[in-house]
Amino acid sequence: MRLIIHRNYEDASSWAACYIAERINDFKRKSDRPFVLGLPTGSSPLGIYRGLIKLYQEKKLSFERVSTFNMDEYLGLSADHPQSYHRFMMENLFSHIDIDLTRVHILDGMAKDPEQECRRYEEAIAAEGGIELFLGGMGSDGHIAFNEPGSSLRSRTRIKTLTGETRIANARFFGGDPSKVPSTALTVGVGTVMDAGEVLIIVSGSGKARALRAVVEEGLNHMWTLSCLQMHPRAIIVCDEDATEELRVRTVRYFKDIEKETIRTFSGKNGGGS
């Protein structure tokens, strides 16, 4: 696992956007297949999405040969619901770039057979050749996607009941009322994320510091599902200084030292040629 520490959320997001752009552009130079990108929702990736849009507008990145798979969707929300993740992605990324919408994949919260929808989603990922890079965020309890504490580290796309803490955290999108947040969702599993060729996680704020310490410094534990990254051969966590508040000083110094050249490479870079 790699830990890339930046001064603030804006710098971390800009670095991550440039890194993703470079991966897409490099893949395009080497392969005729679409680059398959896994995507999250929520507030964590918004800075990255703004950075990707900017790179597209500057003609330094194209999504014409990119396929996407989103992590999750609320069960019972239609694609046009104001708080659906379909709507979120259109408003915050897809409507601003040149992606072919037939290559956009998001779980159907209104599926008549949710279990079959989950199986179909796994099959669709496999049919695309697997996910090349999975972007994600981390919950304050260390979860990835909607894989709440206690989730199997080998889980696949499935129906998941959301904890009260997660519903409270997402209440800001539902007028501040946790009771309006759906109690269940369709989500990719920890195993689904781990199958990706690379995983990139954005973490910011002191509210995530305890979870980041558990994920980076403690052992593999299904109560902190993102600790699965310890077993991934190509996992990167990009964070700000606030998120490192509970890490050991030696840990912070170590990662800053070994990653300083990587930080320079993509900081301020505009994603390479298109």
Side-chain angles (χ1 to χ4, degrees):
M1 182 196 301
R2 298 170 62 191
L3 183 66
I4 312 291
I5 303 169
H6 290 270
R7 185 181 45 147
N8 53 43
Y9 171 75
E10 290 72 24
D11 288 350
S13 297
S14 177
W15 185 95
C18 290
Y19 182 85
I20 292 168
E22 183 71 13
R23 289 281 285 107
I24 292 172
N25 288 332
D26 184 59
F27 188 88
K28 183 168 60 175
R29 288 188 286 267
K30 297 175 180 178
S31 175
D32 292 330
R33 295 190 300 108
F35 185 92
V36 185
L37 180 63
L39 296 173
T41 52
S43 56
S44 293
L46 288 176
I48 298 174
Y49 292 161
R50 289 191 292 268
L52 292 173
I53 292 167
K54 183 174 183 290
L55 290 167
Y56 162 70
Q57 291 172 339
E58 293 173 348
K59 302 188 184 304
K60 294 166 181 172
L61 176 64
S62 172
F63 292 85
E64 286 181 331
R65 282 164 47 192
V66 173
S67 294
T68 65
F69 286 86
N70 261 76
M71 283 187 162
D72 38 39
E73 179 59 283
Y74 289 115
L75 194 59
L77 295 193
S78 62
D80 59 357
H81 188 283
Q83 302 308 330
S84 74
Y85 289 155
H86 283 75
R87 184 81 166 265
F88 177 97
M89 293 305 303
M90 287 301 300
E91 292 179 352
N92 291 289
L93 183 62
F94 296 147
S95 65
H96 305 282
I97 57 177
D98 61 341
I99 195 165
D100 180 350
L101 293 180
T102 65
R103 296 188 183 209
V104 168
H105 304 82
I106 305 178
L107 285 153
D108 182 2
M110 298 298 291
K112 292 182 179 179
D113 186 341
E115 292 185 355
Q116 174 59 31
E117 171 66 4
C118 294
R119 289 191 293 270
R120 182 201 65 78
Y121 207 64
E122 289 279 343
E123 291 167 359
I125 292 172
E128 288 275 359
I131 292 172
E132 190 70 23
L133 186 152
F134 222 136
L135 173 65
M138 179 184 74
S140 60
D141 57 6
H143 74 256
I144 175 73
F146 277 133
N147 294 288
E148 306 281 22
S151 295
S152 167
L153 298 184
R154 299 184 68 179
S155 56
R156 312 302 303 187
T157 303
R158 68 204 187 287
I159 305 167
K160 195 73 179 69
T161 300
L162 307 184
T163 66
E165 184 175 346
T166 295
R167 295 177 74 190
I168 290 170
N170 290 344
R172 64 190 185 279
F173 301 115
F174 291 83
D177 185 354
S179 69
K180 293 182 179 178
V181 181
S183 60
T184 53
L186 304 180
T187 183
V188 296
V190 179
T192 314
V193 175
M194 288 289 284
D195 279 351
E198 186 171 14
V199 182
L200 175 63
I201 304 296
I202 178 80
V203 180
S204 68
S206 57
K208 306 285 181 75
R210 179 168 172 262
L212 186 64
R213 182 193 68 201
V215 167
V216 173
E217 294 185 339
E218 297 178 11
L220 190 68
N221 189 332
H222 70 165
M223 297 307 291
W224 305 92
T225 55
L226 193 62
S227 67
C228 67
L229 293 189
Q230 296 177 23
M231 302 295 290
H232 199 287
R234 295 185 66 192
I236 302 175
I237 298 177
V238 186
C239 69
D240 59 15
E241 292 279 0
D242 287 347
T244 69
E245 285 181 354
E246 296 204 26
L247 292 177
R248 296 183 182 93
V249 172
R250 179 176 292 182
T251 300
V252 173
R253 287 178 177 169
Y254 169 77
F255 281 109
K256 282 187 173 182
D257 179 51
I258 65 170
E259 297 292 356
K260 57 188 176 185
E261 291 303 321
T262 305
I263 291 174
R264 289 194 191 105
T265 299
F266 294 100
S267 295
K269 191 173 180 180
N270 290 320
S274 62

